[in-house]
Amino acid sequence: TIKHIKDIMKKWRNVDIKVLYGGSVDLNNINNLVTIAEIDGFLVGSASLRADELLQIAQITAGDKDD
């Protein structure tokens, strides 16, 4: 779906857009989500209210899974 959105914007408006994933991003799914090349970033919801979880998500998205 994300690739389709990007392709449509490129075709209709000749622009390259960034797409954020805004679903339920948490420690249960972030490792799978970071493997999707078309996702340019994440909008973290309720997981951002727990500092330890947000820090782990940030480390995973930065590629520092062991820190």
Side-chain angles (χ1 to χ4, degrees):
T1 301
I2 294 169
K3 183 177 178 345
H4 182 68
I5 291 168
K6 288 182 173 191
D7 289 346
I8 287 173
M9 291 303 294
K10 185 66 174 179
K11 179 180 177 182
W12 288 357
R13 299 288 184 200
N14 197 30
V15 293
D16 293 316
I17 62 168
K18 302 284 186 190
V19 176
L20 301 179
Y21 179 84
S24 182
V25 177
D26 58 28
L27 287 175
N28 294 320
N29 60 16
I30 191 64
N31 286 308
N32 290 329
L33 292 171
V34 296
T35 66
I36 303 171
E38 289 82 10
I39 297 176
D40 298 303
F42 303 95
L43 178 62
V44 181
S46 62
S48 69
L49 299 175
R50 295 178 295 281
D52 59 328
E53 187 168 348
L54 181 60
L55 178 60
Q56 289 178 62
I57 290 170
Q59 289 171 333
I60 291 167
T61 59
D64 300 330
K65 296 179 186 178
D66 297 328
D67 291 341

Short mmCIF file of all heavy atoms in Angstrom, two decimals:
data_model
loop_
_atom_site.label_atom_id
_atom_site.label_comp_id
_atom_site.label_asym_id
_atom_site.label_seq_id
_atom_site.Cartn_x
_atom_site.Cartn_y
_atom_site.Cartn_z
N THR A 1 0.83 -1.20 0.00
CA THR A 1 0.00 0.00 0.00
C THR A 1 0.87 1.26 0.00
O THR A 1 0.57 2.21 -0.72
CB THR A 1 -0.94 0.00 1.22
OG1 THR A 1 -1.76 -1.17 1.17
CG2 THR A 1 -1.81 1.24 1.24
N ILE A 2 1.92 1.23 0.81
CA ILE A 2 2.80 2.41 0.87
C ILE A 2 3.46 2.65 -0.48
O ILE A 2 3.52 3.78 -0.96
CB ILE A 2 3.84 2.25 1.99
CG1 ILE A 2 3.14 2.24 3.35
CG2 ILE A 2 4.88 3.37 1.93
CD1 ILE A 2 4.03 1.84 4.50
N LYS A 3 3.94 1.59 -1.10
CA LYS A 3 4.55 1.74 -2.42
C LYS A 3 3.53 2.29 -3.42
O LYS A 3 3.86 3.15 -4.23
CB LYS A 3 5.11 0.41 -2.90
CG LYS A 3 5.82 0.51 -4.24
CD LYS A 3 6.42 -0.80 -4.66
CE LYS A 3 7.10 -0.77 -5.99
NZ LYS A 3 6.87 0.31 -6.89
N HIS A 4 2.31 1.82 -3.33
CA HIS A 4 1.25 2.29 -4.23
C HIS A 4 1.01 3.80 -4.04
O HIS A 4 0.89 4.55 -5.01
CB HIS A 4 -0.03 1.50 -3.99
CG HIS A 4 -1.15 1.87 -4.89
ND1 HIS A 4 -1.14 1.60 -6.24
CD2 HIS A 4 -2.33 2.48 -4.63
CE1 HIS A 4 -2.26 2.05 -6.77
NE2 HIS A 4 -3.00 2.58 -5.82
N ILE A 5 0.95 4.23 -2.80
CA ILE A 5 0.75 5.65 -2.50
C ILE A 5 1.90 6.48 -3.08
O ILE A 5 1.68 7.52 -3.72
CB ILE A 5 0.64 5.88 -0.98
CG1 ILE A 5 -0.67 5.27 -0.46
CG2 ILE A 5 0.74 7.37 -0.64
CD1 ILE A 5 -0.75 5.19 1.05
N LYS A 6 3.12 6.02 -2.87
CA LYS A 6 4.28 6.74 -3.39
C LYS A 6 4.27 6.78 -4.92
O LYS A 6 4.58 7.81 -5.52
CB LYS A 6 5.58 6.11 -2.89
CG LYS A 6 5.82 6.36 -1.42
CD LYS A 6 7.15 5.75 -1.00
CE LYS A 6 7.48 6.14 0.42
NZ LYS A 6 8.85 5.78 0.78
N ASP A 7 3.90 5.66 -5.54
CA ASP A 7 3.84 5.61 -7.00
C ASP A 7 2.79 6.57 -7.55
O ASP A 7 3.03 7.24 -8.56
CB ASP A 7 3.55 4.18 -7.48
CG ASP A 7 4.72 3.23 -7.28
OD1 ASP A 7 5.85 3.70 -7.01
OD2 ASP A 7 4.48 2.00 -7.36
N ILE A 8 1.65 6.63 -6.91
CA ILE A 8 0.58 7.54 -7.36
C ILE A 8 1.03 8.99 -7.26
O ILE A 8 0.84 9.78 -8.18
CB ILE A 8 -0.71 7.31 -6.55
CG1 ILE A 8 -1.37 6.00 -6.97
CG2 ILE A 8 -1.68 8.48 -6.73
CD1 ILE A 8 -2.55 5.61 -6.13
N MET A 9 1.66 9.35 -6.15
CA MET A 9 2.10 10.74 -5.98
C MET A 9 3.19 11.09 -7.00
O MET A 9 3.24 12.21 -7.50
CB MET A 9 2.60 10.97 -4.56
CG MET A 9 1.48 10.94 -3.53
SD MET A 9 0.17 12.14 -3.86
CE MET A 9 1.05 13.66 -3.62
N LYS A 10 4.04 10.13 -7.30
CA LYS A 10 5.08 10.38 -8.30
C LYS A 10 4.45 10.56 -9.68
O LYS A 10 4.83 11.46 -10.43
CB LYS A 10 6.07 9.20 -8.32
CG LYS A 10 7.23 9.41 -9.23
CD LYS A 10 8.11 10.54 -8.74
CE LYS A 10 9.37 10.65 -9.58
NZ LYS A 10 10.21 11.74 -9.16
N LYS A 11 3.46 9.73 -9.98
CA LYS A 11 2.82 9.79 -11.30
C LYS A 11 1.96 11.05 -11.44
O LYS A 11 2.04 11.76 -12.44
CB LYS A 11 1.96 8.55 -11.51
CG LYS A 11 1.22 8.51 -12.82
CD LYS A 11 0.39 7.25 -12.94
CE LYS A 11 -0.41 7.24 -14.22
NZ LYS A 11 -1.26 6.05 -14.34
N TRP A 12 1.12 11.34 -10.45
CA TRP A 12 0.16 12.44 -10.56
C TRP A 12 0.78 13.81 -10.33
O TRP A 12 0.39 14.79 -10.95
CB TRP A 12 -0.98 12.25 -9.57
CG TRP A 12 -1.92 11.15 -9.94
CD1 TRP A 12 -1.89 10.36 -11.06
CD2 TRP A 12 -3.03 10.69 -9.19
NE1 TRP A 12 -2.90 9.45 -11.05
CE2 TRP A 12 -3.64 9.63 -9.90
CE3 TRP A 12 -3.58 11.06 -7.98
CZ2 TRP A 12 -4.76 8.96 -9.44
CZ3 TRP A 12 -4.69 10.40 -7.52
CH2 TRP A 12 -5.27 9.36 -8.25
N ARG A 13 1.72 13.89 -9.37
CA ARG A 13 2.28 15.20 -9.00
C ARG A 13 3.79 15.31 -9.21
O ARG A 13 4.36 16.34 -8.93
CB ARG A 13 1.98 15.50 -7.53
CG ARG A 13 0.52 15.56 -7.21
CD ARG A 13 -0.08 16.80 -7.78
NE ARG A 13 -1.49 16.87 -7.37
CZ ARG A 13 -2.37 17.58 -7.99
NH1 ARG A 13 -2.02 18.31 -9.01
NH2 ARG A 13 -3.62 17.60 -7.57
N ASN A 14 4.39 14.21 -9.67
CA ASN A 14 5.84 14.17 -9.89
C ASN A 14 6.61 14.58 -8.64
O ASN A 14 7.55 15.37 -8.69
CB ASN A 14 6.25 15.03 -11.09
CG ASN A 14 7.65 14.67 -11.55
OD1 ASN A 14 8.09 13.53 -11.42
ND2 ASN A 14 8.36 15.64 -12.08
N VAL A 15 6.19 14.05 -7.50
CA VAL A 15 6.89 14.33 -6.24
C VAL A 15 7.21 13.01 -5.54
O VAL A 15 6.46 12.04 -5.64
CB VAL A 15 6.06 15.22 -5.28
CG1 VAL A 15 5.90 16.61 -5.85
CG2 VAL A 15 4.71 14.61 -4.97
N ASP A 16 8.32 13.01 -4.87
CA ASP A 16 8.68 11.89 -4.01
C ASP A 16 8.27 12.26 -2.60
O ASP A 16 8.66 13.31 -2.09
CB ASP A 16 10.19 11.63 -4.06
CG ASP A 16 10.65 11.14 -5.42
OD1 ASP A 16 9.97 10.27 -5.98
OD2 ASP A 16 11.68 11.63 -5.92
N ILE A 17 7.46 11.42 -2.00
CA ILE A 17 6.96 11.73 -0.66
C ILE A 17 7.52 10.74 0.36
O ILE A 17 7.94 9.64 0.01
CB ILE A 17 5.42 11.72 -0.60
CG1 ILE A 17 4.87 10.32 -0.92
CG2 ILE A 17 4.83 12.78 -1.51
CD1 ILE A 17 3.40 10.15 -0.60
N LYS A 18 7.52 11.16 1.59
CA LYS A 18 7.87 10.30 2.71
C LYS A 18 6.56 9.82 3.32
O LYS A 18 5.60 10.58 3.44
CB LYS A 18 8.66 11.05 3.77
CG LYS A 18 9.93 11.67 3.26
CD LYS A 18 10.98 10.64 3.07
CE LYS A 18 12.30 11.31 2.70
NZ LYS A 18 13.29 10.37 2.29
N VAL A 19 6.53 8.55 3.71
CA VAL A 19 5.33 7.99 4.32
C VAL A 19 5.69 7.43 5.69
O VAL A 19 6.61 6.63 5.82
CB VAL A 19 4.70 6.89 3.43
CG1 VAL A 19 3.51 6.25 4.13
CG2 VAL A 19 4.29 7.46 2.09
N LEU A 20 4.97 7.89 6.70
CA LEU A 20 5.14 7.39 8.06
C LEU A 20 4.11 6.32 8.33
O LEU A 20 2.95 6.45 7.91
CB LEU A 20 4.96 8.51 9.08
CG LEU A 20 5.89 9.70 8.97
CD1 LEU A 20 5.54 10.71 10.06
CD2 LEU A 20 7.33 9.28 9.08
N TYR A 21 4.52 5.29 9.04
CA TYR A 21 3.58 4.26 9.47
C TYR A 21 3.02 4.71 10.81
O TYR A 21 3.77 4.95 11.76
CB TYR A 21 4.28 2.91 9.60
CG TYR A 21 3.34 1.82 10.06
CD1 TYR A 21 2.54 1.16 9.15
CD2 TYR A 21 3.24 1.50 11.40
CE1 TYR A 21 1.65 0.18 9.57
CE2 TYR A 21 2.36 0.51 11.83
CZ TYR A 21 1.58 -0.14 10.92
OH TYR A 21 0.70 -1.10 11.33
N GLY A 22 1.72 4.82 10.90
CA GLY A 22 1.09 5.32 12.11
C GLY A 22 0.17 4.32 12.77
O GLY A 22 -0.70 4.70 13.53
N GLY A 23 0.38 3.06 12.47
CA GLY A 23 -0.43 2.04 13.12
C GLY A 23 0.01 1.84 14.56
O GLY A 23 0.68 2.69 15.14
N SER A 24 -0.30 0.75 15.11
CA SER A 24 0.06 0.47 16.49
C SER A 24 1.52 0.03 16.56
O SER A 24 1.84 -1.15 16.52
CB SER A 24 -0.86 -0.62 17.05
OG SER A 24 -0.55 -0.87 18.40
N VAL A 25 2.43 1.00 16.65
CA VAL A 25 3.86 0.70 16.71
C VAL A 25 4.24 0.43 18.15
O VAL A 25 4.03 1.27 19.03
CB VAL A 25 4.69 1.88 16.15
CG1 VAL A 25 6.18 1.59 16.27
CG2 VAL A 25 4.32 2.17 14.71
N ASP A 26 4.79 -0.75 18.39
CA ASP A 26 5.24 -1.10 19.74
C ASP A 26 6.34 -2.14 19.64
O ASP A 26 6.78 -2.49 18.55
CB ASP A 26 4.09 -1.58 20.61
CG ASP A 26 3.36 -2.79 20.04
OD1 ASP A 26 3.98 -3.58 19.30
OD2 ASP A 26 2.17 -2.96 20.34
N LEU A 27 6.81 -2.62 20.77
CA LEU A 27 7.89 -3.61 20.78
C LEU A 27 7.49 -4.94 20.17
O LEU A 27 8.35 -5.71 19.75
CB LEU A 27 8.42 -3.82 22.20
CG LEU A 27 9.25 -2.67 22.75
CD1 LEU A 27 9.63 -2.94 24.21
CD2 LEU A 27 10.50 -2.44 21.91
N ASN A 28 6.21 -5.20 20.07
CA ASN A 28 5.74 -6.46 19.49
C ASN A 28 5.86 -6.48 17.97
O ASN A 28 5.91 -7.56 17.37
CB ASN A 28 4.29 -6.74 19.89
CG ASN A 28 4.14 -6.99 21.36
OD1 ASN A 28 4.98 -7.65 21.97
ND2 ASN A 28 3.09 -6.44 21.95
N ASN A 29 5.89 -5.30 17.32
CA ASN A 29 5.89 -5.31 15.86
C ASN A 29 6.99 -4.47 15.22
O ASN A 29 7.16 -4.52 14.00
CB ASN A 29 4.53 -4.89 15.32
CG ASN A 29 4.12 -3.49 15.74
OD1 ASN A 29 4.93 -2.70 16.19
ND2 ASN A 29 2.85 -3.20 15.59
N ILE A 30 7.76 -3.72 16.00
CA ILE A 30 8.75 -2.82 15.40
C ILE A 30 9.82 -3.56 14.61
O ILE A 30 10.26 -3.10 13.57
CB ILE A 30 9.37 -1.87 16.45
CG1 ILE A 30 10.18 -0.77 15.77
CG2 ILE A 30 10.20 -2.63 17.46
CD1 ILE A 30 9.39 0.17 14.92
N ASN A 31 10.24 -4.74 15.08
CA ASN A 31 11.26 -5.49 14.35
C ASN A 31 10.79 -5.90 12.96
O ASN A 31 11.58 -5.92 12.02
CB ASN A 31 11.71 -6.72 15.15
CG ASN A 31 12.59 -6.32 16.31
OD1 ASN A 31 13.57 -5.61 16.14
ND2 ASN A 31 12.24 -6.76 17.50
N ASN A 32 9.52 -6.19 12.81
CA ASN A 32 8.97 -6.51 11.48
C ASN A 32 8.80 -5.25 10.65
O ASN A 32 9.08 -5.26 9.45
CB ASN A 32 7.63 -7.23 11.61
CG ASN A 32 7.77 -8.63 12.15
OD1 ASN A 32 8.77 -9.29 11.93
ND2 ASN A 32 6.78 -9.08 12.88
N LEU A 33 8.36 -4.18 11.27
CA LEU A 33 8.10 -2.95 10.52
C LEU A 33 9.37 -2.34 9.94
O LEU A 33 9.35 -1.79 8.84
CB LEU A 33 7.39 -1.93 11.41
CG LEU A 33 5.96 -2.29 11.81
CD1 LEU A 33 5.42 -1.33 12.86
CD2 LEU A 33 5.05 -2.32 10.59
N VAL A 34 10.48 -2.42 10.67
CA VAL A 34 11.72 -1.82 10.16
C VAL A 34 12.25 -2.54 8.93
O VAL A 34 13.11 -2.01 8.23
CB VAL A 34 12.82 -1.70 11.24
CG1 VAL A 34 12.40 -0.77 12.35
CG2 VAL A 34 13.24 -3.05 11.77
N THR A 35 11.74 -3.72 8.64
CA THR A 35 12.19 -4.45 7.45
C THR A 35 11.47 -4.01 6.18
O THR A 35 11.87 -4.40 5.08
CB THR A 35 12.00 -5.97 7.63
OG1 THR A 35 10.61 -6.27 7.70
CG2 THR A 35 12.72 -6.49 8.86
N ILE A 36 10.45 -3.19 6.31
CA ILE A 36 9.67 -2.72 5.17
C ILE A 36 10.33 -1.46 4.62
O ILE A 36 10.25 -0.39 5.23
CB ILE A 36 8.20 -2.46 5.55
CG1 ILE A 36 7.58 -3.74 6.12
CG2 ILE A 36 7.42 -1.96 4.34
CD1 ILE A 36 6.21 -3.56 6.73
N ALA A 37 10.99 -1.59 3.50
CA ALA A 37 11.81 -0.50 2.95
C ALA A 37 11.01 0.75 2.63
O ALA A 37 11.53 1.86 2.71
CB ALA A 37 12.54 -0.99 1.71
N GLU A 38 9.76 0.61 2.27
CA GLU A 38 8.95 1.75 1.86
C GLU A 38 8.56 2.67 3.01
O GLU A 38 8.17 3.81 2.80
CB GLU A 38 7.68 1.29 1.13
CG GLU A 38 7.94 0.71 -0.23
CD GLU A 38 8.37 -0.75 -0.20
OE1 GLU A 38 8.29 -1.39 0.87
OE2 GLU A 38 8.79 -1.26 -1.25
N ILE A 39 8.64 2.18 4.24
CA ILE A 39 8.29 3.01 5.40
C ILE A 39 9.44 3.95 5.70
O ILE A 39 10.58 3.53 5.88
CB ILE A 39 7.97 2.14 6.63
CG1 ILE A 39 6.74 1.26 6.38
CG2 ILE A 39 7.75 3.02 7.86
CD1 ILE A 39 6.42 0.30 7.51
N ASP A 40 9.13 5.24 5.77
CA ASP A 40 10.17 6.26 6.00
C ASP A 40 10.28 6.68 7.45
O ASP A 40 11.22 7.39 7.83
CB ASP A 40 9.87 7.49 5.14
CG ASP A 40 9.92 7.14 3.66
OD1 ASP A 40 10.96 6.65 3.21
OD2 ASP A 40 8.90 7.35 2.96
N GLY A 41 9.35 6.27 8.28
CA GLY A 41 9.39 6.62 9.69
C GLY A 41 8.16 6.09 10.38
O GLY A 41 7.28 5.48 9.76
N PHE A 42 8.10 6.33 11.69
CA PHE A 42 7.01 5.78 12.49
C PHE A 42 6.41 6.85 13.38
O PHE A 42 7.10 7.68 13.94
CB PHE A 42 7.53 4.63 13.37
CG PHE A 42 8.17 3.54 12.57
CD1 PHE A 42 9.54 3.51 12.38
CD2 PHE A 42 7.40 2.57 11.97
CE1 PHE A 42 10.13 2.52 11.62
CE2 PHE A 42 7.98 1.57 11.21
CZ PHE A 42 9.35 1.54 11.03
N LEU A 43 5.10 6.77 13.52
CA LEU A 43 4.38 7.61 14.47
C LEU A 43 4.00 6.69 15.63
O LEU A 43 3.12 5.85 15.50
CB LEU A 43 3.13 8.20 13.82
CG LEU A 43 2.26 9.06 14.70
CD1 LEU A 43 3.03 10.29 15.18
CD2 LEU A 43 1.01 9.49 13.97
N VAL A 44 4.72 6.84 16.72
CA VAL A 44 4.50 5.97 17.87
C VAL A 44 3.43 6.59 18.74
O VAL A 44 3.52 7.76 19.12
CB VAL A 44 5.82 5.79 18.67
CG1 VAL A 44 5.59 4.86 19.85
CG2 VAL A 44 6.92 5.25 17.76
N GLY A 45 2.41 5.80 19.07
CA GLY A 45 1.30 6.29 19.88
C GLY A 45 1.51 6.01 21.35
O GLY A 45 2.44 6.53 21.97
N SER A 46 0.68 5.16 21.92
CA SER A 46 0.69 4.92 23.36
C SER A 46 2.01 4.33 23.87
O SER A 46 2.36 4.53 25.03
CB SER A 46 -0.48 4.02 23.77
OG SER A 46 -0.36 2.75 23.15
N ALA A 47 2.76 3.67 23.01
CA ALA A 47 4.06 3.14 23.43
C ALA A 47 5.01 4.28 23.80
O ALA A 47 5.94 4.09 24.58
CB ALA A 47 4.67 2.28 22.33
N SER A 48 4.76 5.47 23.29
CA SER A 48 5.62 6.61 23.62
C SER A 48 5.41 7.11 25.05
O SER A 48 6.20 7.90 25.55
CB SER A 48 5.39 7.76 22.64
OG SER A 48 4.10 8.32 22.82
N LEU A 49 4.35 6.65 25.68
CA LEU A 49 4.09 7.04 27.06
C LEU A 49 4.93 6.25 28.06
O LEU A 49 4.99 6.61 29.23
CB LEU A 49 2.60 6.88 27.38
CG LEU A 49 1.65 7.71 26.53
CD1 LEU A 49 0.21 7.37 26.85
CD2 LEU A 49 1.92 9.19 26.71
N ARG A 50 5.56 5.20 27.59
CA ARG A 50 6.43 4.38 28.44
C ARG A 50 7.86 4.61 27.96
O ARG A 50 8.27 4.11 26.91
CB ARG A 50 6.03 2.91 28.33
CG ARG A 50 4.62 2.65 28.91
CD ARG A 50 4.19 1.19 28.76
NE ARG A 50 4.03 0.76 27.37
CZ ARG A 50 2.97 1.02 26.60
NH1 ARG A 50 1.98 1.73 27.09
NH2 ARG A 50 2.91 0.56 25.38
N ALA A 51 8.62 5.37 28.73
CA ALA A 51 9.95 5.81 28.32
C ALA A 51 10.85 4.65 27.94
O ALA A 51 11.58 4.73 26.93
CB ALA A 51 10.60 6.65 29.42
N ASP A 52 10.84 3.58 28.70
CA ASP A 52 11.71 2.44 28.40
C ASP A 52 11.36 1.81 27.05
O ASP A 52 12.24 1.45 26.27
CB ASP A 52 11.67 1.40 29.51
CG ASP A 52 10.28 0.83 29.77
OD1 ASP A 52 9.28 1.57 29.60
OD2 ASP A 52 10.19 -0.36 30.13
N GLU A 53 10.06 1.71 26.77
CA GLU A 53 9.63 1.13 25.50
C GLU A 53 9.97 2.06 24.34
O GLU A 53 10.46 1.62 23.29
CB GLU A 53 8.13 0.82 25.51
CG GLU A 53 7.67 0.07 24.29
CD GLU A 53 6.27 -0.50 24.41
OE1 GLU A 53 5.70 -0.50 25.52
OE2 GLU A 53 5.75 -0.96 23.38
N LEU A 54 9.75 3.35 24.51
CA LEU A 54 10.08 4.32 23.46
C LEU A 54 11.57 4.30 23.16
O LEU A 54 11.98 4.33 22.00
CB LEU A 54 9.63 5.72 23.86
CG LEU A 54 9.90 6.81 22.83
CD1 LEU A 54 9.19 6.50 21.51
CD2 LEU A 54 9.47 8.16 23.38
N LEU A 55 12.40 4.22 24.19
CA LEU A 55 13.84 4.17 24.00
C LEU A 55 14.23 2.91 23.21
O LEU A 55 15.05 2.99 22.28
CB LEU A 55 14.57 4.19 25.34
CG LEU A 55 16.09 4.08 25.28
CD1 LEU A 55 16.68 5.23 24.47
CD2 LEU A 55 16.66 4.06 26.68
N GLN A 56 13.65 1.78 23.54
CA GLN A 56 13.95 0.55 22.81
C GLN A 56 13.52 0.64 21.36
O GLN A 56 14.24 0.19 20.45
CB GLN A 56 13.27 -0.64 23.49
CG GLN A 56 13.90 -1.02 24.82
CD GLN A 56 13.16 -2.18 25.46
OE1 GLN A 56 13.10 -3.26 24.90
NE2 GLN A 56 12.58 -1.93 26.63
N ILE A 57 12.36 1.23 21.11
CA ILE A 57 11.88 1.41 19.74
C ILE A 57 12.84 2.32 18.98
O ILE A 57 13.21 2.03 17.84
CB ILE A 57 10.44 1.97 19.72
CG1 ILE A 57 9.46 0.90 20.22
CG2 ILE A 57 10.06 2.45 18.33
CD1 ILE A 57 8.05 1.41 20.48
N ALA A 58 13.27 3.40 19.61
CA ALA A 58 14.21 4.32 18.96
C ALA A 58 15.52 3.63 18.63
O ALA A 58 16.09 3.82 17.55
CB ALA A 58 14.45 5.53 19.86
N GLN A 59 16.00 2.80 19.54
CA GLN A 59 17.25 2.08 19.30
C GLN A 59 17.11 1.09 18.14
O GLN A 59 18.00 0.96 17.31
CB GLN A 59 17.70 1.36 20.58
CG GLN A 59 18.18 2.32 21.64
CD GLN A 59 18.42 1.64 22.97
OE1 GLN A 59 17.82 0.61 23.29
NE2 GLN A 59 19.30 2.22 23.78
N ILE A 60 15.99 0.42 18.09
CA ILE A 60 15.75 -0.53 17.00
C ILE A 60 15.68 0.19 15.66
O ILE A 60 16.28 -0.26 14.68
CB ILE A 60 14.46 -1.35 17.26
CG1 ILE A 60 14.69 -2.29 18.45
CG2 ILE A 60 14.03 -2.13 16.02
CD1 ILE A 60 13.43 -2.92 19.01
N THR A 61 14.97 1.30 15.61
CA THR A 61 14.85 2.02 14.34
C THR A 61 16.17 2.64 13.90
O THR A 61 16.41 2.82 12.72
CB THR A 61 13.77 3.11 14.39
OG1 THR A 61 14.09 4.06 15.41
CG2 THR A 61 12.40 2.51 14.65
N ALA A 62 17.05 2.90 14.87
CA ALA A 62 18.37 3.46 14.55
C ALA A 62 19.37 2.36 14.22
O ALA A 62 20.49 2.63 13.81
CB ALA A 62 18.87 4.29 15.72
N GLY A 63 18.98 1.11 14.46
CA GLY A 63 19.87 -0.01 14.18
C GLY A 63 20.72 -0.42 15.36
O GLY A 63 21.57 -1.27 15.24
N ASP A 64 20.49 0.18 16.52
CA ASP A 64 21.27 -0.13 17.73
C ASP A 64 20.49 -1.06 18.64
O ASP A 64 20.17 -0.73 19.77
CB ASP A 64 21.60 1.15 18.50
CG ASP A 64 22.40 2.13 17.67
OD1 ASP A 64 23.16 1.67 16.81
OD2 ASP A 64 22.28 3.34 17.90
N LYS A 65 20.21 -2.25 18.16
CA LYS A 65 19.34 -3.18 18.89
C LYS A 65 19.98 -3.70 20.17
O LYS A 65 19.29 -4.16 21.05
CB LYS A 65 18.95 -4.33 17.99
CG LYS A 65 18.13 -3.90 16.81
CD LYS A 65 17.76 -5.05 15.93
CE LYS A 65 17.05 -4.54 14.68
NZ LYS A 65 16.71 -5.60 13.78
N ASP A 66 21.31 -3.65 20.30
CA ASP A 66 21.97 -4.22 21.47
C ASP A 66 22.24 -3.21 22.57
O ASP A 66 22.70 -3.55 23.63
CB ASP A 66 23.29 -4.88 21.06
CG ASP A 66 23.06 -6.05 20.12
OD1 ASP A 66 22.01 -6.71 20.27
OD2 ASP A 66 23.90 -6.30 19.27
N ASP A 67 22.01 -1.93 22.32
CA ASP A 67 22.32 -0.88 23.32
C ASP A 67 21.17 -0.66 24.28
O ASP A 67 20.06 -0.81 24.04
CB ASP A 67 22.67 0.43 22.64
CG ASP A 67 24.01 0.34 21.91
OD1 ASP A 67 24.78 -0.57 22.24
OD2 ASP A 67 24.25 1.18 21.04
#
